[in-house]
Amino acid sequence: IERLYGWASAAMVALVREGYPASPRQFVISEGPSNSFDGSTTMGGSGQFTWDLSFNALSESLLDPETTRLILRHIIANSDFETVPMSVPQAWDGYRAYPNTVGAGQYCFDYVAAFLFVQGYVTATGDVDFLTTPILNNHDGRDATPLDFLRAIAWAWKAYPASTESPYLVDYGANKRSFLEAAETYIDVIAALQAGNAGMLLSLARLLESVPSLPRKNADEIADLRSNGTRIAEDMMRYQFVPGVGAWKCLKASPYVAPVEVRCIADSVYVGLSAGLLAGHAHSALDGAFPMSAAARRDMVDLVFRELLGNGWVRALSPLDPSMANISCRGGFHG
């Protein structure tokens, strides 16, 4: 663990920059020409996407907890709790620091990413008091705590239309800019997002149980979180998992359109986080009690090693994904 942290922190320190408006130090994660803050033009620049930041939440929290806390305050203060679905901002270097107001958006992976970012900071630093710290929201002028924020994003899925297969599996639409643009078929009812929803609900239930001093919304909150999270996970396994392959299906908005199998790393990552696969034990970053059989876990891990790891890289999409049928992979594919 110390070696992994050493590698991660060395990479971040190599990119550290000072003098940006957002915070005293920025660990730049995106290089390239300047772009628009709303992402409407070429991506690049010195960007701090909330989704990207979530993957180095633990490392940055250990390396520079002050900067991490400032970024989280920025995200929570500028999230719009009143929009349906709620909106979450990015954390661009060029933005002036909190309490400066910035706009928020509905990039679908930002819900689980922001949850992981807050969770990573609290886990790494032990700063449980942060969860009940009032932060003035720049959109509605009311105080919201990080715990309020976790609740809001854990339930954000309820604002999306239910799939035809299950009221617990929701349809995020077909706008590719709302997702990780790995494949044109990676739209609608995406397994990674359903897994994130289940994981957030189950994880929040475990947090409230583990820290009795945290205020509960009502007497049934933990039971509601756990029952909804479990139903999402159960219906994912029933309707989206491909047994024997380890892949997942994107369900379609129309009952007349067949589900599409997608072999995407994002599904493996977020199901892995929720089911405990990435931690190698029963409890992981997003879990509570994700109902996934040992055989299904083996299938998913085998898919990753068989098709998504190779040539020194982790592939975003398997060369055997159906969308790649007419695309030639330079250098060939060796499973």
Side-chain angles (χ1 to χ4, degrees):
I1 292 176
E2 290 182 0
R3 183 179 297 176
L4 287 172
Y5 171 66
W7 289 338
S9 59
M12 294 172 66
V13 169
L15 294 173
V16 68
R17 295 186 180 185
E18 299 178 349
Y20 282 88
S23 61
R25 290 163 297 281
Q26 286 290 321
F27 302 97
V28 178
I29 55 172
S30 178
E31 294 286 351
S34 297
N35 66 335
S36 64
F37 285 158
D38 65 4
S40 61
T41 59
T42 304
M43 308 309 283
S46 300
Q48 299 281 330
F49 287 102
T50 299
W51 179 80
D52 293 287
L53 286 167
S54 70
F55 283 98
N56 64 293
L58 287 171
S59 298
E60 184 160 345
S61 297
L62 291 169
L63 179 66
D64 193 343
E66 177 190 359
T67 292
T68 307
R69 187 177 173 116
L70 284 172
I71 294 172
L72 290 174
R73 286 176 67 89
H74 161 89
I75 292 172
I76 295 167
N78 289 294
S79 289
D80 194 336
F81 291 74
E82 301 299 319
T83 59
V84 181
M86 74 171 292
S87 302
V88 178
Q90 306 305 326
W92 294 98
D93 299 345
Y95 286 153
R96 285 181 287 114
Y98 172 82
N100 181 50
T101 302
V102 301
Q106 294 166 339
Y107 181 68
C108 294
F109 276 88
D110 276 345
Y111 301 120
V112 63
F115 191 102
L116 284 167
F117 200 5
V118 174
Q119 187 182 55
Y121 168 77
V122 173
T123 301
T125 63
D127 187 7
V128 177
D129 290 341
F130 178 65
L131 292 172
T132 52
T133 301
I135 298 173
L136 181 65
N137 187 268
N138 288 336
H139 294 284
D140 61 23
R142 293 180 289 185
D143 283 340
T145 67
L147 182 58
D148 295 330
F149 178 70
L150 292 181
R151 283 192 175 102
I153 55 178
W155 288 105
W157 61 278
K158 297 286 285 184
Y160 289 89
S163 67
T164 55
E165 288 81 0
S166 164
Y168 295 94
L169 303 179
V170 296
D171 183 354
Y172 287 90
N175 181 357
K176 69 176 184 178
R177 294 196 69 83
S178 298
F179 314 115
L180 305 174
E181 302 87 352
E184 61 183 12
T185 54
Y186 199 61
I187 55 175
D188 301 317
V189 186
I190 294 173
L193 293 172
Q194 317 305 318
N197 295 335
M200 287 188 287
L201 293 167
L202 294 169
S203 183
L204 186 53
R206 187 153 60 94
L207 172 66
L208 293 173
E209 280 186 332
S210 302
V211 188
S213 61
L214 292 176
R216 298 184 186 180
K217 191 173 182 180
N218 55 57
D220 298 324
E221 181 176 16
I222 292 176
D224 289 343
L225 289 165
R226 184 157 287 129
S227 62
N228 278 268
T230 301
R231 281 300 305 271
I232 292 171
E234 289 174 345
D235 286 356
M236 279 181 63
M237 298 305 302
R238 180 178 297 115
Y239 297 111
Q240 294 188 274
F241 187 64
V242 184
V245 177
W248 299 84
K249 292 181 285 189
C250 286
L251 306 179
K252 299 288 109 178
S254 169
Y256 305 105
V257 180
V260 176
E261 180 182 311
V262 179
R263 303 184 181 199
C264 179
I265 189 62
D267 288 341
S268 300
V269 168
Y270 286 101
V271 176
L273 284 169
S274 296
L277 292 176
L278 299 188
H281 51 71
H283 294 298
S284 182
L286 279 176
D287 86 310
F290 196 97
M292 191 176 191
S293 70
R297 291 168 185 249
R298 283 195 301 271
D299 286 344
M300 200 173 78
V301 171
D302 288 346
L303 173 72
V304 172
F305 279 90
R306 185 177 66 246
E307 300 179 23
L308 296 173
L309 297 181
N311 302 325
W313 296 92
V314 178
R315 299 182 177 98
L317 191 68
S318 166
L320 300 183
D321 186 86
S323 68
M324 299 285 284
N326 297 317
I327 299 175
S328 174
C329 295
R330 187 171 60 181
F333 169 63
H334 305 284

